[in-house]
Amino acid sequence: MNLSEYSRRPSGEVRIGRVVIGGGHPVAVQSMTNTDTNDTEACAAQIERIDRAGGGIVRLTAQGRREGENLANIVRRVREDGFDTAIVADIHFVPEVAAIAAKYVDKVRINPGNIGGKERVKAVADACRQKGIPIRIGVNGGSLEKPLLEKYGKVCPEALVESAFGHIRLLNQFDFDDICVSLKSSSVPVTMAAYRLMGERSQYPLHLGVTEAGTRTTGTIKSAIGIGGLLAQGIGDTFRVTLTADPVEE
């Protein structure tokens, strides 16, 4: 996506398979499958449809060990079909799955609100470092850590940014800094303010998005305002439009 007419916020680079985000590279469009990660054929077909539509990065949920191991089959099938789509594993609650998924994918996404404590994060960092792949710290207003909710009393930009920096520091403790960040909320103003604040305080590449955006109509409007507004301010290196619809529509 060419946004050369806008002055882009300076950021570091993160390589996700064939795609490089940040560092002045074109803004990358991505999406997420809604198929069963155990269904190799359905996942591969959807990934290929998303890629054809312009989504060069595709994320899949890996809920458990079985799904994590099946990522090998999905990636193999996509490559056999001639696609070099950048494939990302979404990890929640079970960090052991990150060690499995990291063997096969191009990036791992973790949610600070549910990945667990220090040792669990270390397991993810170790797995990704060994494979040489990045981690996205995916902060989400709907699963913000309880201590931050108690401190701020609500989901707010400062709480989202503090969550992100808490996990950046934790990953840095384990000699890991190949990081990109997202700070998503269902509120467009909160989301935009959080990204602006994060952009002022760091140079990590930013993955834009409005969570729980809604249907094709509602979600498109909220995402156009939130994502489009940030891009127009030079903020953002990759984005996903989240809709309750076919991922190709995203």
Side-chain angles (χ1 to χ4, degrees), residues 78-178:
V78 169
R79 302 293 182 250
E80 288 174 350
D81 290 344
F83 289 81
D84 58 355
T85 315
I87 296 178
V88 181
D90 198 23
I91 308 296
H92 294 267
F93 301 106
V94 190
E96 295 83 4
V97 179
I100 298 170
K103 296 185 292 184
Y104 313 119
V105 299
D106 301 302
K107 184 178 75 172
V108 165
R109 181 258 181 169
I110 59 172
N111 182 335
N114 61 37
I115 196 62
K118 186 173 181 178
E119 289 306 311
R120 287 175 165 241
V121 174
K122 182 179 185 299
V124 179
D126 289 345
C128 292
R129 187 190 315 102
Q130 290 167 15
K131 179 67 186 303
I133 62 174
I135 293 174
R136 171 161 68 95
I137 297 173
V139 180
N140 193 307
S143 55
L144 193 66
E145 298 101 304
K146 288 183 180 179
L148 290 175
L149 282 174
E150 292 171 0
K151 176 179 178 179
Y152 290 97
K154 61 182 178 179
V155 175
C156 61
E158 294 79 9
L160 296 174
V161 171
E162 187 170 332
S163 175
F165 275 114
H167 272 69
I168 288 169
R169 287 191 295 270
L170 195 52
L171 288 173
N172 288 169
Q173 284 182 33
F174 306 127
D175 194 29
F176 194 95
D177 199 48
D178 193 6

Side-chain angles (χ1 to χ4, degrees), residues 3-218:
L3 293 167
S4 58
E5 65 269 33
Y6 299 110
S7 176
R8 294 274 299 283
R9 156 192 171 268
S11 72
E13 292 183 359
V14 165
R15 176 173 290 279
I16 310 164
R18 67 166 183 176
V19 183
V20 180
I21 62 171
H25 289 272
V27 176
V29 179
Q30 56 181 282
S31 187
M32 183 173 183
T33 61
N34 60 6
T35 45
D36 182 351
T37 309
N38 291 304
D39 189 335
T40 301
E41 296 302 317
C43 289
Q46 193 169 76
I47 289 168
E48 292 166 14
R49 288 176 58 231
I50 292 169
D51 196 320
R52 288 192 192 96
I57 306 171
V58 181
R59 179 161 49 109
L60 300 93
T61 296
Q63 305 96 317
R65 293 177 178 272
R66 184 181 174 195
E67 290 82 2
E69 289 291 357
N70 199 53
L71 290 170
N73 297 321
I74 295 168
V75 173
R76 185 182 307 113
R77 179 55 188 269
V78 169
R79 302 293 182 250
E80 288 174 350
D81 290 344
F83 289 81
D84 58 355
T85 315
I87 296 178
V88 181
D90 198 23
I91 308 296
H92 294 267
F93 301 106
V94 190
E96 295 83 4
V97 179
I100 298 170
K103 296 185 292 184
Y104 313 119
V105 299
D106 301 302
K107 184 178 75 172
V108 165
R109 181 258 181 169
I110 59 172
N111 182 335
N114 61 37
I115 196 62
K118 186 173 181 178
E119 289 306 311
R120 287 175 165 241
V121 174
K122 182 179 185 299
V124 179
D126 289 345
C128 292
R129 187 190 315 102
Q130 290 167 15
K131 179 67 186 303
I133 62 174
I135 293 174
R136 171 161 68 95
I137 297 173
V139 180
N140 193 307
S143 55
L144 193 66
E145 298 101 304
K146 288 183 180 179
L148 290 175
L149 282 174
E150 292 171 0
K151 176 179 178 179
Y152 290 97
K154 61 182 178 179
V155 175
C156 61
E158 294 79 9
L160 296 174
V161 171
E162 187 170 332
S163 175
F165 275 114
H167 272 69
I168 288 169
R169 287 191 295 270
L170 195 52
L171 288 173
N172 288 169
Q173 284 182 33
F174 306 127
D175 194 29
F176 194 95
D177 199 48
D178 193 6
I179 297 167
C180 59
V181 177
S182 63
L183 310 105
K184 298 183 181 181
S185 165
S186 58
S187 162
V188 172
V190 169
T191 298
M192 294 183 72
Y195 278 109
R196 285 196 295 265
L197 186 59
M198 191 72 192
E200 292 169 0
R201 296 184 180 179
S202 85
Q203 290 193 341
Y204 289 102
L206 296 177
H207 165 123
L208 305 183
V210 179
T211 193
E212 300 173 7
T215 63
R216 179 176 178 179
T217 301
T218 304

